[in-house]
Amino acid sequence: MIWFDAHGDLNTVESSPSGNLWGMPLRKLIDSGAVDVGDVALVGARNLDPPEEVFIREQGVHVGEEGIAGALDGVDCTYLAFDADVLEPTELSVFMPEPGGLSVADAERILQGLAGRTNVLGAGFTGAGFESGNVAPLARLAAAVGL
């Protein structure tokens, strides 16, 4: 699973400073056994809560673009979770903007590389605003992985 997100989504109910469930989906997938932590790469995260940083360090979550290779090692296919807030806020209108994100061009390059290394069996694109200007960049990113 390749998880593009400005946020870790690795909190639990107990560790979350906000208690919001939207900050927990990746952790729930890992803790449930649906996804092995060694098969996860978290790309673009730059706003992490301290408990998320501890979880990443202690559990060995692969991070960054360079972490993709480790997550893909030994797997035949992958799922792509792409929260649009992984992008620089000037690139796309998103619900939870965080400065310092990827450009659309960099994300497209990374996604093309991903598609060239594994079978992308599914993808979810989330977190984008409803502005019509988002359609073309998101279509470009979906096309980069063959969707």
Side-chain angles (χ1 to χ4, degrees), residues 102-130:
L102 298 171
S103 67
V104 170
D106 282 338
E108 181 179 36
R109 175 187 53 76
I110 295 168
L111 293 176
Q112 286 171 337
L114 176 64
R117 292 157 72 179
T118 189
N119 294 312
V120 177
L121 293 183
F125 289 84
T126 61
F130 295 106

Side-chain angles (χ1 to χ4, degrees), residues 2-3 16 23 26 45 51 63 82 84 89 110 112 127 146:
I2 311 301
W3 197 274
S16 173
L26 181 54
V63 294
F82 193 97
I110 295 168
Q112 286 171 337

